Amino acid sequence: MNKTKLLYWSVTVAVSGFLFGFDTAVISGADKPIQLLWDTSPLFHGTFIMSMALWGTVVGALWGGVPSDKIGRKKTLIWIGVLYLVSAVGSGLAWDPYSFSIFRFIGGLGVGASSVAAPMYISEIAPADKRGRLVALYQFMIVFGILMAYVSNYFLGGIGENAWRWMLGSEAFPAAAYLLMVLTVPESPRWLVLKKKDDKTARGILQQLNPQGNIDELMKAIHHSEEGKVHVGLFSGKYKWPIMLAFLIAFFNQLSGINFVIYYSPRILEAAGMDASNALASTAGIGLTNLIFTMLGMYLIDRSGRKMLMLIGSIGYILSLIGVAWAFKSGAEGFYVVLFLFAFIASHAVGQGAVIWVFISEIFPNSVRAFGNALGCGTHWVFAALITLVTLFFMEMFGDNPWPLFGFFAGMMVLQLLFVLFMMPETKGVSLEELEERLVGKK
């Protein structure tokens, strides 16, 4: 196996995840300055300023399967880079809340489409025994992007009243780098075989990835996944089990409160008694914790399996969220809020964070993978947008004591634990074609 090419192509595509994470977290540093600058109400601010990128992400995720299926994974990934670049430059130069919202929406389109196309591409070039950790590179890049956004926000925060413009505009540099890098990767061989009927090019790419491998056997397995099968739509009823699994893992991901914490961490920490400077510094610590435990999740995902990581993460979620709720309700010192928030982030990173994109990219058959990924990712982003939209309202309503929000999220994670225990299958070490046989026939 040519590990160098496999790793380079996977890392290159995963850089779209870095932009995803950076774009998601960078707004936390611009949150309050923008609200003060344009004097927006909490409802307007939550709906347009903070949530607009997420609504773009919903559209990008729901429709990201269309270009991925029609024009290919690679061309879709290139256009994603263009969207990120335009959004970064436009957001930094925005002249009013409406122009700002439009450019953030454009960036959201890139985030949503990348959450469909990037994990799918990596899953389609990776061997079964390495698929988990390679697809998890995308999540690693997301959290690395989040960390870099928090760090850059911290250092740019003191440069003046236009600091928020530099925070948002700085994303243009990695966006341009990604755009140049992704031009060098090949198309997905599975897409070439099944959608373009281009066996020759696909065989050449597979040969580059695995010069000593049995390419004939792999090509036969890809073709066999389609032989004798009537092509039906995603919602025909045939794929109801993978649809249910994708919906539930995406639903619970956001009902953990992870985007609430990432978007509003400075506000949460200020509510716990920290000043603005220390709150920004602590968000950088949250980002570092996320990165470290994501690396642990990447190490374990092909060893312990997806289900075990979800079990560990679910229990960690429940305990840490109850801890944050207790700290706020009892009036404990801000130290305890920070401690339990760090535990919450660690639980997310080693569990849901490491697993979600891998799991969704694996469970759908080749013929509907693009649209299945779009459904799972779209579900994730619909709930992300809704959570971001309504939680600012509740934060304002609860004032400095938002314990009911954390109590609610803890209750939802009890339900996730039941999902993992009784419904979630293990997918580690199984080829995409074999997973199709196992899951599509499940009643």
Side-chain angles (χ1 to χ4, degrees):
M1 174 165 293
N2 191 330
K3 294 181 180 179
T4 302
K5 271 193 169 65
L6 177 63
L7 183 61
Y8 176 74
W9 293 346
S10 298
V11 169
T12 295
V13 171
V15 171
S16 65
F18 175 91
L19 296 166
F20 165 167
F22 195 98
D23 192 87
T24 299
V26 74
I27 190 67
S28 66
D31 171 18
K32 283 194 169 182
I34 289 175
Q35 188 174 16
L36 291 171
L37 174 67
W38 288 319
D39 192 26
T40 54
S41 69
L43 183 59
F44 182 96
H45 188 69
T47 304
F48 289 94
I49 301 300
M50 297 301 288
S51 293
M52 190 53 71
L54 284 170
W55 291 117
T57 301
V58 169
V59 176
L62 290 174
W63 291 97
V66 175
S68 295
D69 197 59
K70 300 299 182 185
I71 66 173
R73 295 14 172 177
K74 178 178 178 176
K75 288 181 180 177
T76 302
L77 289 164
I78 291 170
W79 278 106
I80 285 166
V82 173
L83 292 171
Y84 277 129
L85 185 59
V86 170
S87 174
V89 174
S91 298
L93 297 174
W95 50 92
D96 60 28
Y98 303 102
S99 61
F100 181 85
S101 297
I102 290 169
F103 284 117
R104 288 291 293 166
F105 182 85
I106 290 170
L109 293 174
V111 171
S114 79
S115 68
V116 175
M120 178 166 55
Y121 177 92
I122 298 171
S123 76
E124 291 181 342
I125 67 168
D129 63 331
K130 294 181 175 63
R131 189 175 61 240
R133 75 193 73 165
L134 287 173
V135 178
L137 276 170
Y138 181 71
Q139 177 66 16
F140 171 81
M141 286 293 187
I142 291 172
V143 299
F144 186 47
I146 291 170
L147 174 60
M148 288 298 98
Y150 285 152
V151 170
S152 67
N153 283 358
Y154 177 73
F155 283 108
L156 291 171
I159 65 173
E161 63 181 20
N162 286 322
W164 67 270
R165 294 188 183 275
W166 290 101
M167 291 176 185
L168 293 159
S170 63
E171 188 183 346
F173 297 103
Y178 163 75
L179 192 52
L180 293 174
M181 291 170 63
V182 81
L183 293 171
T184 66
V185 305
E187 183 52 85
S188 160
R190 281 182 167 86
W191 182 82
L192 288 168
V193 170
L194 300 175
K195 302 297 180 180
K196 295 291 286 183
K197 311 301 179 186
D198 187 354
D199 285 20
K200 181 179 178 181
T201 304
R203 184 181 291 273
I205 295 167
L206 291 171
Q207 193 73 49
Q208 288 184 67
L209 287 168
N210 197 358
Q212 286 78 46
N214 191 335
I215 306 303
D216 289 334
E217 184 178 329
L218 181 53
M219 291 289 290
K220 182 179 178 181
I222 295 171
H223 279 290
H224 178 68
S225 70
E226 295 292 280
E227 285 175 1
K229 295 181 180 178
V230 178
H231 284 226
V232 293
L234 181 65
F235 297 105
S236 65
K238 182 178 180 181
Y239 307 114
K240 60 185 179 181
W241 186 245
I243 286 172
M244 177 66 73
L245 293 173
F247 174 86
L248 287 175
I249 197 168
F251 170 82
F252 285 124
N253 182 281
Q254 283 306 304
L255 269 294
S256 69
I258 184 62
N259 260 40
F260 166 61
V261 171
I262 289 173
Y263 268 62
Y264 296 120
S265 53
R267 288 183 186 248
I268 295 168
L269 294 170
E270 286 179 40
M274 289 190 173
D275 61 37
S277 177
N278 285 334
L280 278 176
S282 293
T283 59
I286 286 172
L288 182 60
T289 301
N290 203 355
L291 184 70
I292 291 169
F293 281 88
T294 295
M295 292 171 67
L296 177 61
M298 288 176 61
Y299 175 78
L300 293 173
I301 194 166
D302 284 323
R303 293 173 171 83
S304 300
R306 288 57 156 158
K307 186 163 184 169
M308 179 57 69
L309 293 188
M310 287 290 289
L311 282 171
I312 294 169
S314 297
I315 294 168
Y317 270 146
I318 294 165
L319 296 177
S320 59
L321 286 165
I322 289 173
V324 177
W326 164 81
F328 273 116
K329 185 172 174 55
S330 66
E333 294 180 3
F335 165 79
Y336 292 104
V337 174
V338 174
L339 178 66
F340 286 120
L341 278 181
F342 275 43
F344 167 78
I345 291 293
S347 301
H348 171 79
V350 81
Q352 266 273 16
V355 172
I356 181 171
W357 308 116
V358 177
F359 189 73
I360 291 175
S361 72
E362 303 178 307
I363 58 176
F364 289 98
N366 289 325
S367 61
V368 294
R369 181 168 297 115
F371 298 107
N373 269 33
L375 172 73
C377 296
T379 300
H380 172 277
W381 290 115
V382 165
F383 284 100
L386 290 172
I387 291 294
T388 305
L389 175 62
V390 302
T391 47
L392 180 59
F393 170 79
F394 284 110
M395 277 286 288
E396 295 280 339
M397 185 175 75
F398 295 134
D400 291 338
N401 198 5
W403 74 267
L405 281 172
F406 291 98
F408 169 76
F409 292 137
M412 296 307 299
M413 290 304 92
V414 172
L415 297 181
Q416 175 179 275
L417 180 59
L418 296 176
F419 159 72
V420 175
L421 286 171
F422 299 111
M423 293 183 67
M424 185 179 176
E426 182 54 75
T427 58
K428 74 165 184 171
V430 185
S431 73
L432 296 177
E433 287 70 32
E434 186 179 342
L435 278 173
E436 176 176 347
E437 294 296 323
R438 290 186 186 182
L439 295 177
V440 171
K442 190 172 180 70
K443 300 299 182 184

